[in-house]
Amino acid sequence: VNVAARLQNEARSGEVVATLDYGLGLSGATDGWRGFSVTDRLGDSMAGMYMPPHLVQTASITAAVGLPEGFAVSTTVPYIVVHHLQPSEMPGDVDSSSLADLDVTASWGVASKDERRFAGATAGLTFPTGEVVPDSPVRSGRGTFGVGGGIHGGLKVHPKAAVLAAVTGSTGFGTDTTGYVVAPSANGLVGGRWSPRENGRFSLASFGMLRWQGKDRQDALTYENTGFLTLDLALGAGFTFWEK
């Protein structure tokens, strides 16, 4: 939903746009996380540890400045609150609230003369401001600098409705201070936005997201339960409080 919100609120030349995004999700079904497994590629066996589902709340503030020729620069400050539904056997896996990785992104977009079609691209850098538990997959950030980017396009099918598609990806620069590597990730997104009034302040959005992430590694260890391929349905609402 944060990806969709950012694409909906790209700043035009001379504009300054501020957005607040909030999300609530359940991370890790009980069956999928029971017996958290680690594979040692050197051949030593390691016992599984129970890691329960997490109730994850995310909030982020984004400020964007529109530049000439369709360019814009934005900064996102995210905050994550994690609540465990059951006790965890994973070291450091406790309820937490912390900043995630701060993001700075440059974007470019172009629209057709009738403003019914648009396309764009983004590229950004993340800073290791997120909290990490050493030698553990428990973290709200990579523990190292990262890069990300994507391409997107949209079509206004009605004065009150538009459809959107996007492909994004991100990866980190090597390992953190303990040698832990957070795997790269990629997302594909297709969805739409509808407003009861043309150019109205209130809008509703629905997006299908195909998300992939590889398995985290540390030296000879592979954290099996960190990799996933999943299809999500994201619902969101937006409201513009003030504009001039």
PDB file of all heavy atoms in Angstrom, residues 25-62:
ATOM      1  N   GLY A  25      -0.717  -5.540   9.354  1.00  0.00           N
ATOM      2  CA  GLY A  25      -0.638  -6.846   8.711  1.00  0.00           C
ATOM      3  C   GLY A  25      -0.235  -7.947   9.671  1.00  0.00           C
ATOM      4  O   GLY A  25       0.284  -7.695  10.760  1.00  0.00           O
ATOM      5  N   LEU A  26      -0.489  -9.193   9.245  1.00  0.00           N
ATOM      6  CA  LEU A  26      -0.092 -10.377   9.999  1.00  0.00           C
ATOM      7  C   LEU A  26       1.059 -11.034   9.259  1.00  0.00           C
ATOM      8  O   LEU A  26       0.912 -11.427   8.101  1.00  0.00           O
ATOM      9  CB  LEU A  26      -1.262 -11.349  10.131  1.00  0.00           C
ATOM     10  CG  LEU A  26      -1.017 -12.592  10.997  1.00  0.00           C
ATOM     11  CD1 LEU A  26      -0.805 -12.196  12.450  1.00  0.00           C
ATOM     12  CD2 LEU A  26      -2.208 -13.550  10.900  1.00  0.00           C
ATOM     13  N   SER A  27       2.222 -11.132   9.894  1.00  0.00           N
ATOM     14  CA  SER A  27       3.421 -11.661   9.259  1.00  0.00           C
ATOM     15  C   SER A  27       3.697 -13.071   9.758  1.00  0.00           C
ATOM     16  O   SER A  27       3.980 -13.271  10.936  1.00  0.00           O
ATOM     17  CB  SER A  27       4.622 -10.763   9.570  1.00  0.00           C
ATOM     18  OG  SER A  27       5.803 -11.319   9.061  1.00  0.00           O
ATOM     19  N   GLY A  28       3.601 -14.046   8.865  1.00  0.00           N
ATOM     20  CA  GLY A  28       3.953 -15.416   9.229  1.00  0.00           C
ATOM     21  C   GLY A  28       2.801 -16.211   9.801  1.00  0.00           C
ATOM     22  O   GLY A  28       2.420 -16.026  10.951  1.00  0.00           O
ATOM     23  N   ALA A  29       2.209 -17.093   8.996  1.00  0.00           N
ATOM     24  CA  ALA A  29       1.178 -17.987   9.515  1.00  0.00           C
ATOM     25  C   ALA A  29       1.806 -18.985  10.479  1.00  0.00           C
ATOM     26  O   ALA A  29       2.979 -19.319  10.382  1.00  0.00           O
ATOM     27  CB  ALA A  29       0.495 -18.724   8.357  1.00  0.00           C
ATOM     28  N   THR A  30       1.013 -19.463  11.442  1.00  0.00           N
ATOM     29  CA  THR A  30       1.548 -20.351  12.475  1.00  0.00           C
ATOM     30  C   THR A  30       2.227 -21.576  11.873  1.00  0.00           C
ATOM     31  O   THR A  30       3.320 -21.958  12.287  1.00  0.00           O
ATOM     32  CB  THR A  30       0.412 -20.808  13.421  1.00  0.00           C
ATOM     33  OG1 THR A  30      -0.194 -19.641  13.986  1.00  0.00           O
ATOM     34  CG2 THR A  30       0.965 -21.671  14.539  1.00  0.00           C
ATOM     35  N   ASP A  31       1.612 -22.198  10.877  1.00  0.00           N
ATOM     36  CA  ASP A  31       2.189 -23.405  10.290  1.00  0.00           C
ATOM     37  C   ASP A  31       3.519 -23.099   9.599  1.00  0.00           C
ATOM     38  O   ASP A  31       4.453 -23.890   9.640  1.00  0.00           O
ATOM     39  CB  ASP A  31       1.220 -24.031   9.289  1.00  0.00           C
ATOM     40  CG  ASP A  31      -0.006 -24.610   9.975  1.00  0.00           C
ATOM     41  OD1 ASP A  31       0.066 -24.845  11.197  1.00  0.00           O
ATOM     42  OD2 ASP A  31      -1.025 -24.803   9.300  1.00  0.00           O
ATOM     43  N   GLY A  32       3.602 -21.932   8.954  1.00  0.00           N
ATOM     44  CA  GLY A  32       4.804 -21.607   8.218  1.00  0.00           C
ATOM     45  C   GLY A  32       5.994 -21.295   9.105  1.00  0.00           C
ATOM     46  O   GLY A  32       7.136 -21.518   8.713  1.00  0.00           O
ATOM     47  N   TRP A  33       5.754 -20.764  10.301  1.00  0.00           N
ATOM     48  CA  TRP A  33       6.858 -20.340  11.155  1.00  0.00           C
ATOM     49  C   TRP A  33       7.162 -21.344  12.265  1.00  0.00           C
ATOM     50  O   TRP A  33       8.128 -21.183  12.994  1.00  0.00           O
ATOM     51  CB  TRP A  33       6.537 -18.979  11.779  1.00  0.00           C
ATOM     52  CG  TRP A  33       6.605 -17.874  10.786  1.00  0.00           C
ATOM     53  CD1 TRP A  33       5.630 -17.531   9.878  1.00  0.00           C
ATOM     54  CD2 TRP A  33       7.681 -16.984  10.560  1.00  0.00           C
ATOM     55  NE1 TRP A  33       6.048 -16.479   9.116  1.00  0.00           N
ATOM     56  CE2 TRP A  33       7.299 -16.109   9.516  1.00  0.00           C
ATOM     57  CE3 TRP A  33       8.938 -16.822  11.148  1.00  0.00           C
ATOM     58  CZ2 TRP A  33       8.124 -15.104   9.049  1.00  0.00           C
ATOM     59  CZ3 TRP A  33       9.753 -15.805  10.680  1.00  0.00           C
ATOM     60  CH2 TRP A  33       9.351 -14.965   9.645  1.00  0.00           C
ATOM     61  N   ARG A  34       6.345 -22.360  12.437  1.00  0.00           N
ATOM     62  CA  ARG A  34       6.599 -23.332  13.507  1.00  0.00           C
ATOM     63  C   ARG A  34       7.863 -24.124  13.189  1.00  0.00           C
ATOM     64  O   ARG A  34       7.977 -24.734  12.134  1.00  0.00           O
ATOM     65  CB  ARG A  34       5.409 -24.278  13.660  1.00  0.00           C
ATOM     66  CG  ARG A  34       5.528 -25.198  14.878  1.00  0.00           C
ATOM     67  CD  ARG A  34       4.289 -26.054  15.018  1.00  0.00           C
ATOM     68  NE  ARG A  34       3.086 -25.263  15.183  1.00  0.00           N
ATOM     69  CZ  ARG A  34       2.693 -24.714  16.325  1.00  0.00           C
ATOM     70  NH1 ARG A  34       3.446 -24.873  17.419  1.00  0.00           N
ATOM     71  NH2 ARG A  34       1.591 -24.016  16.394  1.00  0.00           N
ATOM     72  N   GLY A  35       8.808 -24.146  14.115  1.00  0.00           N
ATOM     73  CA  GLY A  35      10.068 -24.832  13.886  1.00  0.00           C
ATOM     74  C   GLY A  35      10.952 -24.069  12.926  1.00  0.00           C
ATOM     75  O   GLY A  35      11.265 -24.541  11.844  1.00  0.00           O
ATOM     76  N   PHE A  36      11.323 -22.835  13.275  1.00  0.00           N
ATOM     77  CA  PHE A  36      12.175 -22.002  12.413  1.00  0.00           C
ATOM     78  C   PHE A  36      13.460 -22.765  12.112  1.00  0.00           C
ATOM     79  O   PHE A  36      14.161 -23.195  13.015  1.00  0.00           O
ATOM     80  CB  PHE A  36      12.501 -20.682  13.124  1.00  0.00           C
ATOM     81  CG  PHE A  36      13.079 -19.651  12.196  1.00  0.00           C
ATOM     82  CD1 PHE A  36      12.257 -18.722  11.583  1.00  0.00           C
ATOM     83  CD2 PHE A  36      14.431 -19.633  11.926  1.00  0.00           C
ATOM     84  CE1 PHE A  36      12.794 -17.775  10.732  1.00  0.00           C
ATOM     85  CE2 PHE A  36      14.972 -18.697  11.075  1.00  0.00           C
ATOM     86  CZ  PHE A  36      14.145 -17.766  10.476  1.00  0.00           C
ATOM     87  N   SER A  37      13.774 -22.937  10.845  1.00  0.00           N
ATOM     88  CA  SER A  37      14.874 -23.820  10.462  1.00  0.00           C
ATOM     89  C   SER A  37      16.049 -23.044   9.900  1.00  0.00           C
ATOM     90  O   SER A  37      15.879 -22.021   9.242  1.00  0.00           O
ATOM     91  CB  SER A  37      14.387 -24.847   9.427  1.00  0.00           C
ATOM     92  OG  SER A  37      13.890 -24.198   8.287  1.00  0.00           O
ATOM     93  N   VAL A  38      17.244 -23.544  10.199  1.00  0.00           N
ATOM     94  CA  VAL A  38      18.488 -22.979   9.690  1.00  0.00           C
ATOM     95  C   VAL A  38      19.296 -24.101   9.061  1.00  0.00           C
ATOM     96  O   VAL A  38      19.494 -25.150   9.669  1.00  0.00           O
ATOM     97  CB  VAL A  38      19.302 -22.321  10.821  1.00  0.00           C
ATOM     98  CG1 VAL A  38      20.605 -21.764  10.284  1.00  0.00           C
ATOM     99  CG2 VAL A  38      18.487 -21.218  11.493  1.00  0.00           C
ATOM    100  N   THR A  39      19.722 -23.910   7.827  1.00  0.00           N
ATOM    101  CA  THR A  39      20.540 -24.905   7.146  1.00  0.00           C
ATOM    102  C   THR A  39      22.001 -24.482   7.188  1.00  0.00           C
ATOM    103  O   THR A  39      22.349 -23.371   6.779  1.00  0.00           O
ATOM    104  CB  THR A  39      20.104 -25.067   5.684  1.00  0.00           C
ATOM    105  OG1 THR A  39      18.753 -25.530   5.647  1.00  0.00           O
ATOM    106  CG2 THR A  39      20.997 -26.057   4.960  1.00  0.00           C
ATOM    107  N   ASP A  40      22.838 -25.359   7.701  1.00  0.00           N
ATOM    108  CA  ASP A  40      24.279 -25.109   7.732  1.00  0.00           C
ATOM    109  C   ASP A  40      24.899 -25.768   6.510  1.00  0.00           C
ATOM    110  O   ASP A  40      24.919 -26.994   6.394  1.00  0.00           O
ATOM    111  CB  ASP A  40      24.874 -25.674   9.026  1.00  0.00           C
ATOM    112  CG  ASP A  40      26.327 -25.271   9.216  1.00  0.00           C
ATOM    113  OD1 ASP A  40      26.990 -24.945   8.212  1.00  0.00           O
ATOM    114  OD2 ASP A  40      26.797 -25.273  10.362  1.00  0.00           O
ATOM    115  N   ARG A  41      25.423 -24.974   5.586  1.00  0.00           N
ATOM    116  CA  ARG A  41      25.956 -25.518   4.341  1.00  0.00           C
ATOM    117  C   ARG A  41      27.258 -26.279   4.552  1.00  0.00           C
ATOM    118  O   ARG A  41      27.750 -26.933   3.638  1.00  0.00           O
ATOM    119  CB  ARG A  41      26.144 -24.384   3.335  1.00  0.00           C
ATOM    120  CG  ARG A  41      24.821 -23.719   2.943  1.00  0.00           C
ATOM    121  CD  ARG A  41      24.984 -22.874   1.693  1.00  0.00           C
ATOM    122  NE  ARG A  41      25.883 -21.762   1.884  1.00  0.00           N
ATOM    123  CZ  ARG A  41      25.510 -20.561   2.335  1.00  0.00           C
ATOM    124  NH1 ARG A  41      24.254 -20.361   2.656  1.00  0.00           N
ATOM    125  NH2 ARG A  41      26.385 -19.584   2.459  1.00  0.00           N
ATOM    126  N   LEU A  42      27.827 -26.196   5.771  1.00  0.00           N
ATOM    127  CA  LEU A  42      29.023 -26.978   6.074  1.00  0.00           C
ATOM    128  C   LEU A  42      28.688 -28.355   6.631  1.00  0.00           C
ATOM    129  O   LEU A  42      29.573 -29.157   6.899  1.00  0.00           O
ATOM    130  CB  LEU A  42      29.901 -26.218   7.081  1.00  0.00           C
ATOM    131  CG  LEU A  42      30.470 -24.891   6.585  1.00  0.00           C
ATOM    132  CD1 LEU A  42      31.342 -24.259   7.653  1.00  0.00           C
ATOM    133  CD2 LEU A  42      31.237 -25.067   5.291  1.00  0.00           C
ATOM    134  N   GLY A  43      27.381 -28.618   6.851  1.00  0.00           N
ATOM    135  CA  GLY A  43      26.967 -29.962   7.230  1.00  0.00           C
ATOM    136  C   GLY A  43      26.533 -30.140   8.660  1.00  0.00           C
ATOM    137  O   GLY A  43      25.999 -31.186   9.025  1.00  0.00           O
ATOM    138  N   ASP A  44      26.745 -29.164   9.540  1.00  0.00           N
ATOM    139  CA  ASP A  44      26.315 -29.311  10.929  1.00  0.00           C
ATOM    140  C   ASP A  44      24.812 -29.096  11.025  1.00  0.00           C
ATOM    141  O   ASP A  44      24.245 -28.237  10.364  1.00  0.00           O
ATOM    142  CB  ASP A  44      27.031 -28.301  11.827  1.00  0.00           C
ATOM    143  CG  ASP A  44      28.534 -28.505  11.801  1.00  0.00           C
ATOM    144  OD1 ASP A  44      28.960 -29.660  11.622  1.00  0.00           O
ATOM    145  OD2 ASP A  44      29.267 -27.514  11.953  1.00  0.00           O
ATOM    146  N   SER A  45      24.151 -29.866  11.902  1.00  0.00           N
ATOM    147  CA  SER A  45      22.707 -29.748  12.075  1.00  0.00           C
ATOM    148  C   SER A  45      22.401 -28.732  13.170  1.00  0.00           C
ATOM    149  O   SER A  45      23.169 -28.565  14.114  1.00  0.00           O
ATOM    150  CB  SER A  45      22.090 -31.099  12.437  1.00  0.00           C
ATOM    151  OG  SER A  45      22.626 -31.567  13.665  1.00  0.00           O
ATOM    152  N   MET A  46      21.253 -28.040  13.024  1.00  0.00           N
ATOM    153  CA  MET A  46      20.824 -27.067  14.016  1.00  0.00           C
ATOM    154  C   MET A  46      19.348 -27.298  14.306  1.00  0.00           C
ATOM    155  O   MET A  46      18.548 -27.550  13.405  1.00  0.00           O
ATOM    156  CB  MET A  46      21.050 -25.636  13.515  1.00  0.00           C
ATOM    157  CG  MET A  46      22.501 -25.320  13.187  1.00  0.00           C
ATOM    158  SD  MET A  46      22.739 -23.597  12.727  1.00  0.00           S
ATOM    159  CE  MET A  46      22.460 -22.800  14.306  1.00  0.00           C
ATOM    160  N   ALA A  47      18.994 -27.206  15.586  1.00  0.00           N
ATOM    161  CA  ALA A  47      17.612 -27.450  15.988  1.00  0.00           C
ATOM    162  C   ALA A  47      16.707 -26.311  15.532  1.00  0.00           C
ATOM    163  O   ALA A  47      17.128 -25.160  15.455  1.00  0.00           O
ATOM    164  CB  ALA A  47      17.537 -27.586  17.507  1.00  0.00           C
ATOM    165  N   GLY A  48      15.428 -26.641  15.221  1.00  0.00           N
ATOM    166  CA  GLY A  48      14.457 -25.624  14.847  1.00  0.00           C
ATOM    167  C   GLY A  48      13.986 -24.859  16.071  1.00  0.00           C
ATOM    168  O   GLY A  48      13.989 -25.368  17.190  1.00  0.00           O
ATOM    169  N   MET A  49      13.574 -23.600  15.859  1.00  0.00           N
ATOM    170  CA  MET A  49      13.070 -22.757  16.931  1.00  0.00           C
ATOM    171  C   MET A  49      11.716 -22.217  16.532  1.00  0.00           C
ATOM    172  O   MET A  49      11.517 -21.810  15.381  1.00  0.00           O
ATOM    173  CB  MET A  49      14.041 -21.602  17.207  1.00  0.00           C
ATOM    174  CG  MET A  49      15.372 -22.036  17.794  1.00  0.00           C
ATOM    175  SD  MET A  49      16.564 -20.687  17.854  1.00  0.00           S
ATOM    176  CE  MET A  49      17.031 -20.599  16.116  1.00  0.00           C
ATOM    177  N   TYR A  50      10.772 -22.193  17.484  1.00  0.00           N
ATOM    178  CA  TYR A  50       9.425 -21.720  17.183  1.00  0.00           C
ATOM    179  C   TYR A  50       9.418 -20.200  17.144  1.00  0.00           C
ATOM    180  O   TYR A  50       9.835 -19.519  18.077  1.00  0.00           O
ATOM    181  CB  TYR A  50       8.439 -22.217  18.237  1.00  0.00           C
ATOM    182  CG  TYR A  50       7.053 -21.668  18.037  1.00  0.00           C
ATOM    183  CD1 TYR A  50       6.385 -21.861  16.825  1.00  0.00           C
ATOM    184  CD2 TYR A  50       6.412 -20.940  19.035  1.00  0.00           C
ATOM    185  CE1 TYR A  50       5.115 -21.359  16.626  1.00  0.00           C
ATOM    186  CE2 TYR A  50       5.143 -20.439  18.842  1.00  0.00           C
ATOM    187  CZ  TYR A  50       4.498 -20.651  17.644  1.00  0.00           C
ATOM    188  OH  TYR A  50       3.244 -20.149  17.450  1.00  0.00           O
ATOM    189  N   MET A  51       8.947 -19.658  16.030  1.00  0.00           N
ATOM    190  CA  MET A  51       8.823 -18.213  15.846  1.00  0.00           C
ATOM    191  C   MET A  51       7.377 -17.935  15.459  1.00  0.00           C
ATOM    192  O   MET A  51       6.947 -18.276  14.354  1.00  0.00           O
ATOM    193  CB  MET A  51       9.783 -17.736  14.767  1.00  0.00           C
ATOM    194  CG  MET A  51      10.015 -16.246  14.742  1.00  0.00           C
ATOM    195  SD  MET A  51      11.365 -15.839  13.572  1.00  0.00           S
ATOM    196  CE  MET A  51      11.460 -14.057  13.807  1.00  0.00           C
ATOM    197  N   PRO A  52       6.588 -17.347  16.349  1.00  0.00           N
ATOM    198  CA  PRO A  52       5.146 -17.210  16.114  1.00  0.00           C
ATOM    199  C   PRO A  52       4.822 -16.096  15.129  1.00  0.00           C
ATOM    200  O   PRO A  52       5.678 -15.286  14.769  1.00  0.00           O
ATOM    201  CB  PRO A  52       4.616 -16.865  17.508  1.00  0.00           C
ATOM    202  CG  PRO A  52       5.741 -16.099  18.130  1.00  0.00           C
ATOM    203  CD  PRO A  52       7.002 -16.752  17.622  1.00  0.00           C
ATOM    204  N   PRO A  53       3.564 -16.035  14.689  1.00  0.00           N
ATOM    205  CA  PRO A  53       3.148 -14.926  13.823  1.00  0.00           C
ATOM    206  C   PRO A  53       3.296 -13.588  14.542  1.00  0.00           C
ATOM    207  O   PRO A  53       3.204 -13.497  15.764  1.00  0.00           O
ATOM    208  CB  PRO A  53       1.678 -15.235  13.523  1.00  0.00           C
ATOM    209  CG  PRO A  53       1.521 -16.688  13.802  1.00  0.00           C
ATOM    210  CD  PRO A  53       2.481 -17.004  14.902  1.00  0.00           C
ATOM    211  N   HIS A  54       3.496 -12.536  13.759  1.00  0.00           N
ATOM    212  CA  HIS A  54       3.657 -11.184  14.288  1.00  0.00           C
ATOM    213  C   HIS A  54       2.520 -10.311  13.780  1.00  0.00           C
ATOM    214  O   HIS A  54       2.162 -10.374  12.604  1.00  0.00           O
ATOM    215  CB  HIS A  54       4.975 -10.555  13.840  1.00  0.00           C
ATOM    216  CG  HIS A  54       6.180 -11.398  14.103  1.00  0.00           C
ATOM    217  ND1 HIS A  54       7.337 -11.277  13.362  1.00  0.00           N
ATOM    218  CD2 HIS A  54       6.413 -12.377  15.006  1.00  0.00           C
ATOM    219  CE1 HIS A  54       8.239 -12.136  13.808  1.00  0.00           C
ATOM    220  NE2 HIS A  54       7.693 -12.817  14.794  1.00  0.00           N
ATOM    221  N   LEU A  55       1.966  -9.487  14.653  1.00  0.00           N
ATOM    222  CA  LEU A  55       1.055  -8.428  14.235  1.00  0.00           C
ATOM    223  C   LEU A  55       1.908  -7.186  14.007  1.00  0.00           C
ATOM    224  O   LEU A  55       2.511  -6.664  14.936  1.00  0.00           O
ATOM    225  CB  LEU A  55       0.005  -8.172  15.304  1.00  0.00           C
ATOM    226  CG  LEU A  55      -1.126  -7.207  14.914  1.00  0.00           C
ATOM    227  CD1 LEU A  55      -1.958  -7.803  13.779  1.00  0.00           C
ATOM    228  CD2 LEU A  55      -2.004  -6.897  16.111  1.00  0.00           C
ATOM    229  N   VAL A  56       2.004  -6.751  12.757  1.00  0.00           N
ATOM    230  CA  VAL A  56       2.942  -5.697  12.386  1.00  0.00           C
ATOM    231  C   VAL A  56       2.173  -4.435  11.975  1.00  0.00           C
ATOM    232  O   VAL A  56       1.318  -4.482  11.088  1.00  0.00           O
ATOM    233  CB  VAL A  56       3.842  -6.143  11.218  1.00  0.00           C
ATOM    234  CG1 VAL A  56       4.829  -5.038  10.858  1.00  0.00           C
ATOM    235  CG2 VAL A  56       4.579  -7.425  11.581  1.00  0.00           C
ATOM    236  N   GLN A  57       2.481  -3.327  12.641  1.00  0.00           N
ATOM    237  CA  GLN A  57       1.936  -2.025  12.269  1.00  0.00           C
ATOM    238  C   GLN A  57       3.064  -1.155  11.714  1.00  0.00           C
ATOM    239  O   GLN A  57       4.145  -1.104  12.292  1.00  0.00           O
ATOM    240  CB  GLN A  57       1.310  -1.326  13.472  1.00  0.00           C
ATOM    241  CG  GLN A  57       0.173  -2.095  14.106  1.00  0.00           C
ATOM    242  CD  GLN A  57      -0.383  -1.365  15.303  1.00  0.00           C
ATOM    243  OE1 GLN A  57      -1.093  -0.381  15.167  1.00  0.00           O
ATOM    244  NE2 GLN A  57      -0.053  -1.854  16.482  1.00  0.00           N
ATOM    245  N   THR A  58       2.791  -0.506  10.603  1.00  0.00           N
ATOM    246  CA  THR A  58       3.792   0.372   9.995  1.00  0.00           C
ATOM    247  C   THR A  58       3.191   1.753   9.777  1.00  0.00           C
ATOM    248  O   THR A  58       2.027   1.877   9.380  1.00  0.00           O
ATOM    249  CB  THR A  58       4.283  -0.177   8.640  1.00  0.00           C
ATOM    250  OG1 THR A  58       3.177  -0.259   7.741  1.00  0.00           O
ATOM    251  CG2 THR A  58       4.895  -1.559   8.810  1.00  0.00           C
ATOM    252  N   ALA A  59       3.977   2.764  10.044  1.00  0.00           N
ATOM    253  CA  ALA A  59       3.578   4.141   9.771  1.00  0.00           C
ATOM    254  C   ALA A  59       4.765   4.848   9.157  1.00  0.00           C
ATOM    255  O   ALA A  59       5.909   4.639   9.583  1.00  0.00           O
ATOM    256  CB  ALA A  59       3.135   4.852  11.049  1.00  0.00           C
ATOM    257  N   SER A  60       4.522   5.673   8.153  1.00  0.00           N
ATOM    258  CA  SER A  60       5.620   6.381   7.519  1.00  0.00           C
ATOM    259  C   SER A  60       5.166   7.759   7.064  1.00  0.00           C
ATOM    260  O   SER A  60       4.012   7.954   6.672  1.00  0.00           O
ATOM    261  CB  SER A  60       6.183   5.593   6.335  1.00  0.00           C
ATOM    262  OG  SER A  60       5.192   5.410   5.342  1.00  0.00           O
ATOM    263  N   ILE A  61       6.090   8.697   7.147  1.00  0.00           N
ATOM    264  CA  ILE A  61       5.868  10.055   6.669  1.00  0.00           C
ATOM    265  C   ILE A  61       6.758  10.275   5.450  1.00  0.00           C
ATOM    266  O   ILE A  61       7.958  10.001   5.505  1.00  0.00           O
ATOM    267  CB  ILE A  61       6.199  11.087   7.755  1.00  0.00           C
ATOM    268  CG1 ILE A  61       5.281  10.910   8.962  1.00  0.00           C
ATOM    269  CG2 ILE A  61       6.060  12.510   7.211  1.00  0.00           C
ATOM    270  CD1 ILE A  61       5.629  11.809  10.127  1.00  0.00           C
ATOM    271  N   THR A  62       6.172  10.745   4.361  1.00  0.00           N
ATOM    272  CA  THR A  62       6.914  11.014   3.133  1.00  0.00           C
ATOM    273  C   THR A  62       6.761  12.480   2.749  1.00  0.00           C
ATOM    274  O   THR A  62       5.637  13.006   2.745  1.00  0.00           O
ATOM    275  CB  THR A  62       6.426  10.134   1.974  1.00  0.00           C
ATOM    276  OG1 THR A  62       6.626   8.752   2.302  1.00  0.00           O
ATOM    277  CG2 THR A  62       7.187  10.442   0.689  1.00  0.00           C
TER     278      THR A  62
END
